[in-house]
Amino acid sequence: MKLQHMTWPQVERYFAASDTVIIGIGSCENHGMHMPLGTDALIPEKLIAMIEERIDVLCAPVIPFGSCDYFTGFPGSISLGNEVLYQVLSKVAEGLYGAGARHFVFVNGHGGNASSIERVCYDLSKRGAIGA
């Protein structure tokens, strides 16, 4: 079930019964001359859609931007950098934690995002939540 398609009472009911949320993270960067810039966001989007077909789990919108400073010389590449990505992920997790999420599943499509995700998972663990 897609968070962006739900009303707040539906989300409230979901978190009364379950505490898991999936968050996809991608990147908008070059992938050679033959692949779209959004490849790293399209992959988690598809994986999450496949998960969603099999189980009832809350899926947050995929974050299409990541940390890819080394590709910004290519037209269309957009990098948030590690610190801004960490802040974005922290805010997303904070909002979902406040709603009742305690188990966070991150589906990452871009290796450059790993350190920001790890920091957020560490922060969540300090609050008693689980991030993976």
Side-chain angles (χ1 to χ4, degrees):
M1 56 194 76
K2 292 184 181 355
L3 176 67
Q4 65 268 34
H5 294 175
M6 298 170 71
T7 64
W8 71 263
Q10 289 172 317
V11 173
E12 184 176 57
R13 282 192 298 276
Y14 172 82
F15 282 125
S18 182
D19 65 355
T20 301
V21 63
I22 298 176
I23 303 168
I25 306 135
S27 185
C28 186
E29 64 179 32
N30 83 305
H31 283 90
M33 297 174 70
H34 63 293
M35 293 177 64
L37 294 167
T39 296
D40 290 349
L42 294 170
I43 292 170
E45 195 172 280
K46 178 63 175 177
L47 291 171
I48 291 169
M50 292 168 64
I51 293 167
E52 198 177 13
E53 289 174 3
R54 291 175 171 78
I55 61 174
D56 287 331
V57 63
L58 185 64
C59 303
V62 172
I63 299 167
F65 304 111
S67 180
C68 61
D69 291 342
Y70 36 87
F71 288 129
T72 56
F74 293 91
S77 293
I78 300 168
S79 179
L80 298 180
N82 286 327
E83 187 58 33
V84 172
L85 179 60
Y86 164 73
Q87 291 173 16
V88 168
L89 294 175
S90 291
K91 284 299 200 181
V92 169
E94 180 182 310
L96 293 167
Y97 185 92
R102 295 300 180 268
H103 289 90
F104 295 79
V105 178
F106 294 95
V107 179
N108 182 27
H110 174 67
N113 298 338
S115 64
S116 298
I117 295 168
E118 288 170 2
R119 282 179 65 193
V120 170
C121 288
Y122 177 75
D123 293 346
L124 288 167
S125 71
K126 291 191 300 187
R127 296 178 90 173
I130 297 171

